[in-house]
Amino acid sequence: MLRYILRRCAMLVPVLLGVVFIVFLMLYVTPDDPARMVLGEQAPQADVDNLRQEMGLNDPFLVQFGRYVYKAVVEGDIGRSYITKRPVLNELMAAFPVTLKLSALAMGIALLVGIPCGIVTAVKQYSIFDNIVTLFALIGISMPVFWLGLLMILLFTVKLNWLPPSGFDSFDAMIMPAATLGLQSVAIITRMTRSSMLEVVRQDYICTARAKGQKESVVIRKHALPNALVPVVTIAGIQFGILLGGAVLTEIIFSLPGLGRLMVSSIEMRDYPMVQGGVLFIALAFCLVNLGVDLLYAWLDPRIKSQYV
């Protein structure tokens, strides 16, 4: 198992380096001068030239990239914000808990609703419940997040006055953002669970378990569900990574001080160190989620773990 974990961790290194290289290259070729942005448009050209020398902007691209990677890995320094003058890592760490909490709540709703609905629709295929859930799943996949968020604010805040329209510091304030962000994941996980369960319940070992006289609930829970969860875990991991990086619209609609909103404002103000650090932060989070999914594979399917023993 340790060999399996080490191999998966080693695969994260080239992925993160590739992400950093692409983002660094994109920002390097932009026409804006970082030194000019730091000092302002009215600063003398001599001061701008001196600052460019201090920041190492006159060095070749590979030298700048190597310096950035070295500081990020060895010193934990991924730059300073052009706007706030504070370390980028501190700004990201202050905003990331909101995005993480929002994504975790949305993922929790998706799993708690999607997996049971998928199981029931597979067991009761072509029933009224199956048709209703399938219809709502299609609606959930097709509905844009920003439109759903606005509709929920109009209904539960303006009309019914049940929930606050913004904020994330109480349980009531968390309901609408989490439900808005998690609806598409609910639909996707429901459809994947249904498809996987339909494939598993037709296998010979399921027929054997039923022939032995076991209860249908035991057959589904102990024999069908563990094998059907492997592709569901894959989708859930990908969806959680997407939620971490795709919570921008939800955070803007509900005025949440999260990572997505921070990156949007940084792009508007051309705060390139913040944008670069935010992309790296999200990529690292996505990779860690995928690592967790890989480890969960080994727990659900011992055949995967046995390959590295």
Side-chain angles (χ1 to χ4, degrees), residues 240-308:
F240 186 61
I242 293 174
L243 293 179
L244 285 173
V248 177
L249 291 176
T250 305
E251 291 177 358
I252 292 176
I253 291 172
F254 294 99
S255 300
L256 305 181
L259 187 59
R261 189 179 180 188
L262 174 64
M263 290 189 63
V264 170
S265 62
S266 299
I267 292 172
E268 293 175 348
M269 294 183 291
R270 299 181 180 179
D271 192 353
Y272 293 147
M274 189 68 70
V275 176
Q276 186 169 293
V279 173
L280 177 60
F281 209 83
I282 293 175
L284 177 61
F286 202 108
C287 289
L288 292 177
V289 170
N290 286 334
L291 176 62
V293 170
D294 290 339
L295 298 181
L296 193 55
Y297 279 163
W299 180 70
L300 291 173
D301 191 348
R303 293 174 297 179
I304 299 176
K305 181 174 61 176
S306 64
Q307 297 177 4
Y308 301 93

Side-chain angles (χ1 to χ4, degrees), residues 6 8-9 29 37 39-40 48 50-52 65 74 83 92 109 112 127 140 153 163 206-207 214 220 229 262 279 301:
L6 292 177
R8 292 301 178 187
C9 291
V29 298
M37 295 173 61
L39 296 177
V48 174
N50 292 334
L51 184 58
R52 283 185 59 86
F65 176 73
V74 178
I83 307 302
L92 295 176
I109 293 174
L112 291 176
S127 64
I153 291 176
L163 301 172
I206 299 296
C207 297
Q214 292 187 351
I220 297 299
L229 280 180
L262 174 64
V279 173
D301 191 348

Side-chain angles (χ1 to χ4, degrees), residues 146-218:
F146 67 89
W147 187 67
L148 176 62
L150 294 176
L151 287 182
M152 293 186 71
I153 291 176
L154 288 175
L155 176 61
F156 295 108
T157 302
V158 178
K159 297 293 184 182
L160 301 177
N161 198 23
W162 288 355
L163 301 172
S166 61
F168 207 64
D169 53 353
S170 65
F171 178 77
D172 292 343
M174 297 177 186
I175 294 176
M176 284 199 298
T180 300
L181 185 61
L183 181 63
Q184 287 189 348
S185 296
V186 169
I188 292 172
I189 291 177
T190 297
R191 290 172 62 86
M192 177 54 67
T193 305
R194 180 182 184 274
S195 176
S196 183
M197 281 292 296
L198 286 175
E199 182 178 351
V200 169
V201 296
R202 296 189 178 101
Q203 300 296 321
D204 293 339
Y205 65 88
I206 299 296
C207 297
T208 302
R210 287 170 175 162
K212 289 181 178 180
Q214 292 187 351
K215 295 181 180 179
E216 185 67 17
S217 59
V218 176

Side-chain angles (χ1 to χ4, degrees), residues 23-193:
V23 177
F24 197 90
L25 178 62
M26 292 176 62
L27 297 180
Y28 179 80
V29 298
T30 54
D32 295 316
D33 186 354
R36 173 65 65 181
M37 295 173 61
V38 171
L39 296 177
E41 296 296 333
Q42 305 301 325
Q45 185 60 39
D47 294 341
V48 174
D49 294 338
N50 292 334
L51 184 58
R52 283 185 59 86
Q53 187 66 30
E54 293 178 8
M55 297 173 66
L57 298 177
N58 295 326
D59 296 332
F61 169 76
L62 292 179
V63 174
Q64 296 185 42
F65 176 73
R67 186 190 302 119
Y68 181 83
V69 173
Y70 176 82
K71 289 185 177 181
V73 174
V74 178
E75 303 176 5
D77 181 12
I78 55 177
R80 284 184 173 271
S81 170
Y82 292 160
I83 307 302
T84 63
K85 312 301 181 183
R86 295 180 56 193
V88 170
L89 186 59
N90 294 350
E91 298 280 351
L92 295 176
M93 292 299 295
F96 185 67
V98 175
T99 300
L100 180 61
K101 185 190 297 185
L102 174 62
S103 301
L105 288 174
M107 196 71 245
I109 293 174
L111 294 175
L112 291 176
V113 177
I115 292 179
C117 288
I119 294 173
V120 175
T121 53
V123 174
K124 300 183 179 297
Q125 188 181 13
Y126 302 131
S127 64
I128 296 178
F129 181 79
D130 182 18
N131 294 330
I132 294 175
V133 171
T134 301
L135 176 62
F136 276 101
L138 290 174
I139 295 174
I141 293 176
S142 306
M143 188 178 300
V145 172
F146 67 89
W147 187 67
L148 176 62
L150 294 176
L151 287 182
M152 293 186 71
I153 291 176
L154 288 175
L155 176 61
F156 295 108
T157 302
V158 178
K159 297 293 184 182
L160 301 177
N161 198 23
W162 288 355
L163 301 172
S166 61
F168 207 64
D169 53 353
S170 65
F171 178 77
D172 292 343
M174 297 177 186
I175 294 176
M176 284 199 298
T180 300
L181 185 61
L183 181 63
Q184 287 189 348
S185 296
V186 169
I188 292 172
I189 291 177
T190 297
R191 290 172 62 86
M192 177 54 67
T193 305

